[in-house]
mmCIF file of all heavy atoms in Angstrom:
data_model
loop_
_atom_site.group_PDB
_atom_site.id
_atom_site.type_symbol
_atom_site.label_atom_id
_atom_site.label_comp_id
_atom_site.label_asym_id
_atom_site.label_seq_id
_atom_site.Cartn_x
_atom_site.Cartn_y
_atom_site.Cartn_z
ATOM 1 N N LEU A 9 49.611 130.855 173.833
ATOM 2 C CA LEU A 9 48.807 131.941 173.267
ATOM 3 C C LEU A 9 49.138 132.081 171.792
ATOM 4 O O LEU A 9 50.303 132.087 171.408
ATOM 5 C CB LEU A 9 49.111 133.258 173.983
ATOM 6 C CG LEU A 9 48.731 133.361 175.449
ATOM 7 C CD1 LEU A 9 49.154 134.716 176.010
ATOM 8 C CD2 LEU A 9 47.232 133.156 175.652
ATOM 9 N N ILE A 10 48.102 132.183 170.985
ATOM 10 C CA ILE A 10 48.316 132.429 169.561
ATOM 11 C C ILE A 10 47.438 133.589 169.098
ATOM 12 O O ILE A 10 46.453 133.953 169.734
ATOM 13 C CB ILE A 10 48.052 131.187 168.675
ATOM 14 C CG1 ILE A 10 46.579 130.767 168.721
ATOM 15 C CG2 ILE A 10 48.976 130.044 169.044
ATOM 16 C CD1 ILE A 10 46.216 129.767 167.622
ATOM 17 N N SER A 11 47.844 134.140 167.976
ATOM 18 C CA SER A 11 47.100 135.205 167.314
ATOM 19 C C SER A 11 46.837 134.743 165.887
ATOM 20 O O SER A 11 47.721 134.169 165.250
ATOM 21 C CB SER A 11 47.942 136.488 167.305
ATOM 22 O OG SER A 11 47.309 137.492 166.538
ATOM 23 N N VAL A 12 45.630 134.967 165.407
ATOM 24 C CA VAL A 12 45.313 134.597 164.023
ATOM 25 C C VAL A 12 44.320 135.610 163.447
ATOM 26 O O VAL A 12 43.420 136.071 164.133
ATOM 27 C CB VAL A 12 44.766 133.141 163.930
ATOM 28 C CG1 VAL A 12 43.446 132.985 164.647
ATOM 29 C CG2 VAL A 12 44.637 132.700 162.482
ATOM 30 N N ASP A 13 44.553 135.981 162.197
ATOM 31 C CA ASP A 13 43.643 136.874 161.479
ATOM 32 C C ASP A 13 42.616 136.028 160.734
ATOM 33 O O ASP A 13 42.924 134.913 160.315
ATOM 34 C CB ASP A 13 44.403 137.723 160.455
ATOM 35 C CG ASP A 13 45.445 138.614 161.105
ATOM 36 O OD1 ASP A 13 45.354 138.861 162.317
ATOM 37 O OD2 ASP A 13 46.360 139.065 160.384
ATOM 38 N N TYR A 14 41.416 136.563 160.565
ATOM 39 C CA TYR A 14 40.387 135.811 159.836
ATOM 40 C C TYR A 14 39.588 136.718 158.923
ATOM 41 O O TYR A 14 39.481 137.922 159.146
ATOM 42 C CB TYR A 14 39.454 135.080 160.810
ATOM 43 C CG TYR A 14 38.673 135.993 161.733
ATOM 44 C CD1 TYR A 14 37.429 136.502 161.359
ATOM 45 C CD2 TYR A 14 39.169 136.348 162.979
ATOM 46 C CE1 TYR A 14 36.713 137.339 162.196
ATOM 47 C CE2 TYR A 14 38.460 137.181 163.823
ATOM 48 C CZ TYR A 14 37.238 137.684 163.427
ATOM 49 O OH TYR A 14 36.538 138.520 164.258
ATOM 50 N N GLU A 15 39.036 136.123 157.876
ATOM 51 C CA GLU A 15 38.072 136.791 156.998
ATOM 52 C C GLU A 15 37.016 135.764 156.624
ATOM 53 O O GLU A 15 37.343 134.661 156.213
ATOM 54 C CB GLU A 15 38.750 137.368 155.753
ATOM 55 C CG GLU A 15 37.777 138.202 154.928
ATOM 56 C CD GLU A 15 38.454 139.016 153.826
ATOM 57 O OE1 GLU A 15 39.648 138.762 153.535
ATOM 58 O OE2 GLU A 15 37.782 139.874 153.249
ATOM 59 N N ILE A 16 35.759 136.153 156.789
ATOM 60 C CA ILE A 16 34.646 135.238 156.555
ATOM 61 C C ILE A 16 33.855 135.722 155.338
ATOM 62 O O ILE A 16 33.465 136.886 155.260
ATOM 63 C CB ILE A 16 33.703 135.167 157.783
ATOM 64 C CG1 ILE A 16 34.505 135.042 159.091
ATOM 65 C CG2 ILE A 16 32.704 134.029 157.631
ATOM 66 C CD1 ILE A 16 35.402 133.838 159.192
ATOM 67 N N PHE A 17 33.607 134.794 154.413
ATOM 68 C CA PHE A 17 32.914 135.099 153.160
ATOM 69 C C PHE A 17 31.530 134.463 153.163
ATOM 70 O O PHE A 17 31.341 133.399 153.738
ATOM 71 C CB PHE A 17 33.718 134.559 151.971
ATOM 72 C CG PHE A 17 35.077 135.192 151.825
ATOM 73 C CD1 PHE A 17 36.135 134.783 152.621
ATOM 74 C CD2 PHE A 17 35.288 136.199 150.903
ATOM 75 C CE1 PHE A 17 37.394 135.355 152.492
ATOM 76 C CE2 PHE A 17 36.543 136.784 150.765
ATOM 77 C CZ PHE A 17 37.597 136.361 151.565
ATOM 78 N N GLY A 18 30.578 135.097 152.489
ATOM 79 C CA GLY A 18 29.215 134.581 152.401
ATOM 80 C C GLY A 18 28.226 135.668 152.788
ATOM 81 O O GLY A 18 28.527 136.859 152.696
ATOM 82 N N LYS A 19 27.052 135.242 153.241
ATOM 83 C CA LYS A 19 26.063 136.214 153.719
ATOM 84 C C LYS A 19 26.350 136.452 155.198
ATOM 85 O O LYS A 19 25.813 135.768 156.069
ATOM 86 C CB LYS A 19 24.641 135.672 153.515
ATOM 87 C CG LYS A 19 23.588 136.697 153.890
ATOM 88 C CD LYS A 19 22.172 136.174 153.726
ATOM 89 C CE LYS A 19 21.226 137.251 154.231
ATOM 90 N NZ LYS A 19 20.037 136.691 154.861
ATOM 91 N N VAL A 20 27.243 137.403 155.455
ATOM 92 C CA VAL A 20 27.707 137.619 156.822
ATOM 93 C C VAL A 20 27.547 139.076 157.283
ATOM 94 O O VAL A 20 27.927 139.406 158.399
ATOM 95 C CB VAL A 20 29.181 137.164 156.991
ATOM 96 C CG1 VAL A 20 29.282 135.649 156.873
ATOM 97 C CG2 VAL A 20 30.099 137.845 155.979
#
Side-chain angles (χ1 to χ4, degrees):
L9 295 178
I10 65 167
S11 173
V12 65
D13 299 341
Y14 62 89
E15 187 169 13
I16 315 301
F17 297 79
K19 185 181 176 214
V20 292

